[in-house]
């Protein structure tokens, strides 16, 4: 097959369609959330008090900033500034790392208090509270998995930029990785208020 | 197989950059990948068909015949899982979409050829998981392919293996759909605007969107059931505050659109066949193109008609019933257009047309019986009876299955450069058609009389219907075997086929049979409307 | 198909502006939860989230400057998701 005609728009379209599938994947969980929030609004309120709004807000800020840094890495590569692009990608990955560390401590803290599906403490809680925590773990867990995938993707693109394979004339791989990363951020934008800010 | 006419290219089967079987396992050529899918699907089809035959043998008479109830439950579960996730959902799109989409739009391959091959490997991984579920852990899953909670959360059988298999297969479906959408957007030949594109690609486009948007929902739902089984998350468990009906919602939000994944490509195939064998343009091109999109879209809004007796709200039932009747309209539009295409045409009753016409007949029976199920009052009596089983076999097997056979017989000379025995094909069709109707029509009758589905035993009053049905199953299998024998035998021994044995006018008939490795020497420039038949069409 | 037209390059500044807007909106959404809107709380939180999500889609994900086909696709799938959720609630709200 001749690859003399590279199709960047097609490549981008492929990534967008993949993003749509991810949106619908999480969408199923959001649907479950919506159903049970409507049914158990009081229980959700009580359960959400166990979540640390400060940590959640910090994580939100971290992801928003990381979205900006990856977007800036694209600007950098478009302008031919290879070093700056690499720095922005590293910044994105580091921010992702902090996010994951936060998450690790968040979850760990809850495990300490036996707040996980199937525990004795959980069995004694109200139905709505049980479901809230199940949703919390499943949604943030699935999200964290996607953060990891995003980090791997960004690591790969970092090396491609370093090698010059991704450059100012050929940066669609960076763009697509950026799109994926923005998806991770986009999902968290909705997760955060729905899980942490249930008044 | 000779070299392609008037081209320096080898045929795609002659092009062998690797050693031996690696030419199949490493090739990113959409044509080879299409055949990889074809052979995998045929193999699994025979396995699942034998499972079906075993079920029919068990039910030839009341009481236990060859297996006990647990075995029976396992058999119909795997029959469903294989048929639905491994055969009918991927089937037409993966085989003929892969092989012919690029050819029909004047492209050399799909947008992402390596992803295409990867999709097949994922598919195979899924099939292995499905088969493994029969042998590992607690034994063959017995939940039915629908995995309803609470039983799927409680059954001690290897449910998780089956759930994972379905998840993996869904991934393959998603990647194929993604590939086809980008292919159609970006790789149409110069001059081929959307409304100059043939109708099979239109159907593939509509199908691909469903694959891409609906499949993730079942993906996450399967994960939820796994989490239910392993972590007790409680979404579907009333003891923890959950709702089992929520599972049904999520399951059918995918699985209803999934049936349009099954049928739309089949409709696309017969839409290619009718003009060719009537030597006449398609009647109502725009209506058929847009009705495919309409079916895909409206098909998202009818899922609750699988749940009328599950306890959903009155307005919900009203809404879903109403939309179910609406979604029948675009299908009916297509039927009208197909028949009108044939009217006044120069009819050549070759096997592809035979299958296409019987497709209309069987699909309509299935479709109309769907209306009986879609009406709320009748649904109460018919839900979970054999009537439903008959309904979906008419639509899925009579529809997608016969559509698949039609495509096989239509495109066989193009794929292999050989022709099968037409007379034998017609005889096989006759046996198949007879067996099919004998197998499934009695199920409508006993279903109306109250015979439940998924029961391994029954009251004596249903015996006649079951007996006829089982006889039909044997006849059907005989027809299938004969049909496949005809096709297999002539792959290497059939008369050589020309580039355009059927006098078709779409782009695949302009290249040699089998097609050259890169499809076209030069990408064609399209100026005409599709399906333009000249009065004297010379064979190249 | 090599595109001859020049690709729009977002400036660092524009990204920074969008980031600041997002951070402001985040602050607002956190503070607002101190105020009890009752049953509207979900709506308010979602509304702000949608604005933030919209900013990410439009600017960071470059939808504003890319080909129209992307905007159409995104809009349609968001619409589809909303409809599916809505139809599900015809069951749950009216049982």
């Amino acid at each position: 097959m001749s690859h003399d005609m590279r199709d960047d728009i097609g490549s981008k379209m492929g990534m967008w369609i993949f993003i749509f599938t991810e949106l619908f994947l999480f969408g199923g969980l959001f649907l479950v959330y919506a159903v049970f929030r409507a049914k158990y609004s009081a229980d959700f309120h009580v359960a959400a008090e166990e979540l640390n709004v400060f940590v959640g807000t910090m994580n939100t800020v971290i992801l928003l900033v990381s979205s900006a840094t990856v977007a800036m890495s694209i600007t950098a590569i478009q302008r031919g500034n290879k070093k700056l692009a690499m720095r922005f990608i590293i910044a994105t990955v580091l921010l992702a790392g902090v996010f994951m560390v936060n998450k690790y401590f968040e979850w760990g803290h809850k495990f300490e208090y036996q707040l996980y599906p199937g525990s004795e403490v959980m069995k004694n809680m109200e139905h709505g509270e049980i479901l809230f925590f199940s949703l919390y773990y499943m949604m943030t867990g699935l999200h964290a998995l996607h953060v990891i995938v995003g980090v791997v993707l960004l690591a790969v693109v970092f090396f491609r930029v370093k090698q010059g394979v991704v450059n100012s004339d050929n940066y669609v791989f960076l763009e697509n990785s950026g799109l994926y990363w923005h998806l991770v951020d986009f999902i968290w934008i909705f997760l955060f208020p729905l899980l942490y800010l249930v008044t | 197989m000779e070299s392609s006419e008037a081209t320096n290219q080898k045929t795609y089967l002659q092009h062998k950059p690797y050693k031996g079987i690696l030419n199949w396992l490493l090739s990113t050529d959409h044509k080879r990948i299409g055949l990889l899918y074809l052979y995998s699907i045929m193999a699994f089809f025979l396995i699942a068909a034998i499972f079906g035959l075993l079920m029919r043998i068990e039910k030839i008479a009341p009481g236990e015949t060859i297996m006990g109830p647990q075995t029976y439950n396992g058999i119909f579960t795997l029959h469903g899982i294989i048929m639905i996730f491994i055969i009918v959902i991927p089937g037409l799109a993966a085989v003929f979409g892969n092989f012919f989409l690029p050819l029909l739009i004047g492209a050399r391959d799909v947008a992402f050829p390596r992803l295409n091959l990867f999709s097949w490997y994922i598919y195979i991984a899924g099939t292995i998981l499905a088969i493994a579920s029969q042998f590992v852990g607690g034994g063959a899953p017995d939940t039915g392919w629908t995995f309803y909670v609470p039983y799927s959360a409680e059954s001690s059988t290897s449910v998780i293996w089956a759930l994972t298999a379905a998840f993996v297969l869904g991934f393959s479906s998603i990647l194929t759909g993604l590939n086809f959408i980008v292919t159609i957007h970006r790789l149409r030949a110069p001059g081929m605007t959307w409304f100059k594109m043939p109708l099979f690609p239109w159907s593939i486009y509509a199908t691909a969107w469903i694959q891409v948007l609906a499949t993730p929902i079942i993906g996450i739902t399967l994960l939820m059931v796994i989490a239910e089984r392993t972590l007790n998350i409680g979404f579907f468990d009333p003891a923890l505050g959950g709702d089992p009906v929520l599972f049904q919602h999520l399951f059918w939000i995918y699985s209803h659109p999934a049936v349009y994944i099954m049928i739309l490509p089949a409709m696309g195939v017969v839409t290619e066949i009718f003009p060719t064998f009537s030597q006449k343009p398609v009647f109502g091109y725009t209506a058929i193109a847009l009705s495919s999109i309409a079916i895909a879209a409206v098909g998202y809004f009818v899922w609750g008609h699988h749940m009328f007796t599950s306890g959903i709200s009155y307005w919900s039932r009203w809404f879903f019933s109403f939309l179910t009747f609406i979604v029948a309209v675009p299908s009916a539009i297509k039927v009208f257009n197909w028949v009108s295409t044939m009217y006044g045409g120069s009819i050549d009753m070759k096997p592809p047309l035979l299958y296409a016409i019987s497709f209309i007949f069987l699909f309509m029976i299935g479709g109309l019986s769907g209306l009986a199920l879609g009406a709320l009052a009748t649904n109460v009596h018919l839900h979970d009876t054999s009537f439903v089983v008959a309904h979906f076999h008419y639509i899925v097997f009579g529809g997608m299955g016969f559509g698949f056979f039609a495509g096989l017989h239509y495109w066989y000379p193009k794929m292999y450069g050989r022709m099968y025995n037409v007379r034998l094909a017609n005889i096989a069709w006759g046996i198949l058609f007879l067996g099919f109707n004998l197998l499934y029509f009695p199920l409508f009758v006993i279903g109306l009389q109250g015979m439940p589905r998924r029961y391994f035993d029954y009251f004596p009053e249903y015996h006649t219907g079951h007996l006829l049905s089982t006889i039909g199953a044997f006849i059907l299998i005989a027809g299938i075997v004969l049909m496949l024998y005809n096709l297999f035998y002539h792959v290497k021994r059939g008369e050589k086929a020309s580039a355009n044995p059927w006098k078709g006018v779409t782009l695949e008939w302009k290249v040699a049979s089998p097609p050259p490795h890169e499809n076209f020497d030069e990408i064609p420039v399209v100026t005409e409307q599709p399906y333009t038949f000249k009065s004297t069409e010379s064979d190249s | 198909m090599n595109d001859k037209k020049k690709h729009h390059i977002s400036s660092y500044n524009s990204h920074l502006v969008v980031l600041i807007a997002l951070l402001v909106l985040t602050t607002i959404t956190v503070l607002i939860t101190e105020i009890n809107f009752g049953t509207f709380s979900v709506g308010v939180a979602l509304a702000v989230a949608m604005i933030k999500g919209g900013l990410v889609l439009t600017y960071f994900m470059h939808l504003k400057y890319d080909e129209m086909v992307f905007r159409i696709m995104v809009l349609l799938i968001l619409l589809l998701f909303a409809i599916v959720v809505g139809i599900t609630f015809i069951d749950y709200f009216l049982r």
Side-chain angles (χ1 to χ4, degrees), chain B residues 42 52 126 135 149 163 168 175 192 201 213 235 239 245 317 389 413 415 418 448 513 516 519 536:
Chain B
M42 290 269 100
F135 304 108
V149 292
L163 294 169
V168 170
L175 293 177
M192 187 181 278
L213 297 181
F235 290 164
V245 177
R317 279 175 272 140
V389 177
M415 294 193 288
R418 302 274 179 170
L448 271 160
S513 303
N519 296 348
T536 48

Side-chain angles (χ1 to χ4, degrees), chain C residues 42-76:
Chain C
V42 180
V44 172
L46 271 179
V48 177
M50 284 197 251
I51 298 174
K52 287 164 75 180
L55 285 171
V56 168
L57 285 168
T58 311
Y59 294 102
F60 284 164
M61 295 173 93
H62 224 237
L63 272 182
K64 179 170 174 150
Y65 306 104
D66 280 338
E67 289 72 14
M68 176 149 78
V69 66
F70 295 111
R71 286 194 288 279
I72 296 177
M73 284 185 184
V74 170
L75 265 146
L76 286 176

Side-chain angles (χ1 to χ4, degrees), chain B residues 151-391:
Chain B
Y151 188 61
S152 61
E154 294 165 11
S155 170
S156 58
T157 57
S158 300
V159 177
I160 292 187
W161 285 79
L163 294 169
T164 312
F167 185 88
V168 170
L169 289 162
F171 217 70
S172 171
S173 186
I174 284 174
L175 293 177
T176 301
L178 186 160
N179 220 333
F180 287 169
I181 293 175
V182 181
T183 302
I184 292 173
H185 270 271
R186 302 298 295 169
L187 295 182
R188 279 168 288 125
M192 187 181 278
T193 59
W194 280 89
F195 287 97
K196 285 211 175 77
M197 191 169 71
L199 289 166
F200 181 63
W202 267 104
S203 71
I204 291 289
Y205 184 71
T207 306
W209 274 112
I210 308 177
Q211 285 176 278
V212 154
L213 297 181
T215 315
I217 302 268
I218 200 174
I220 195 69
T221 308
L222 297 169
L223 288 180
M224 289 183 205
V225 179
I226 294 178
E228 195 76 69
R229 282 180 73 89
T230 53
L231 300 171
N232 252 294
I233 54 168
F235 290 164
F236 309 129
D237 184 357
L240 298 174
D243 182 6
V245 177
L246 183 58
F247 170 84
Q248 293 184 25
H249 274 298
L250 287 163
F251 180 83
W252 290 111
I253 289 175
Y254 164 71
S255 300
H256 190 83
V259 314
Y260 297 112
I261 298 177
M262 300 173 199
I263 200 65
L264 280 170
M267 290 173 159
V269 168
V270 301
T271 312
E272 295 292 338
I273 289 176
F274 286 120
T276 302
F277 291 89
S278 317
Q279 289 291 293
K280 209 176 140 247
V282 174
F283 183 92
Y285 167 92
T286 310
I288 295 194
L290 296 180
S291 63
S292 293
I293 305 293
I295 290 172
V298 180
Y300 274 102
F301 309 138
V302 303
W303 77 84
H305 66 223
H306 301 268
M307 300 162 60
F308 285 149
T309 60
S310 298
I312 59 178
S313 76
Y314 166 76
W315 282 109
S316 201
R317 279 175 272 140
W318 185 96
F319 176 84
F320 284 123
S321 178
F322 181 66
L323 267 283
T324 301
F325 276 76
I326 299 278
V327 82
V329 172
S331 296
I333 289 177
K334 285 182 190 281
V335 172
F336 176 76
N337 286 341
W338 293 324
V339 173
S340 306
T341 300
M342 285 190 283
Y343 182 80
S346 172
I347 302 294
D348 185 10
M349 196 57 118
K350 288 286 184 321
L353 187 63
L354 202 49
Y355 277 105
I357 292 177
S358 48
F359 163 93
I360 296 183
F361 177 77
L362 297 172
F363 174 72
M364 289 214 67
I365 292 180
L368 291 170
S369 63
L371 296 178
L373 289 165
L376 293 173
T378 44
N379 183 276
V380 176
H381 298 280
L382 297 174
H383 180 73
D384 267 351
T385 65
S386 290
F387 189 95
V388 181
V389 177
H391 158 72

Side-chain angles (χ1 to χ4, degrees), chain B residues 407-452:
Chain B
L408 259 183
H409 287 80
Y410 183 49
W411 279 315
Y412 180 100
K414 178 57 58 187
M415 294 193 288
Y416 295 109
R418 302 274 179 170
M419 187 54 87
Y420 47 82
N421 184 314
V422 167
R423 194 158 165 271
L424 203 51
N426 289 335
I427 294 173
W429 172 87
I431 299 173
L432 231 166
F433 187 77
L434 172 68
F436 180 95
N437 284 292
L438 194 55
L439 164 56
Y440 294 116
F441 201 83
L443 301 183
F444 277 130
V445 177
I446 58 176
L448 271 160
Q449 293 169 341
M451 170 70 204

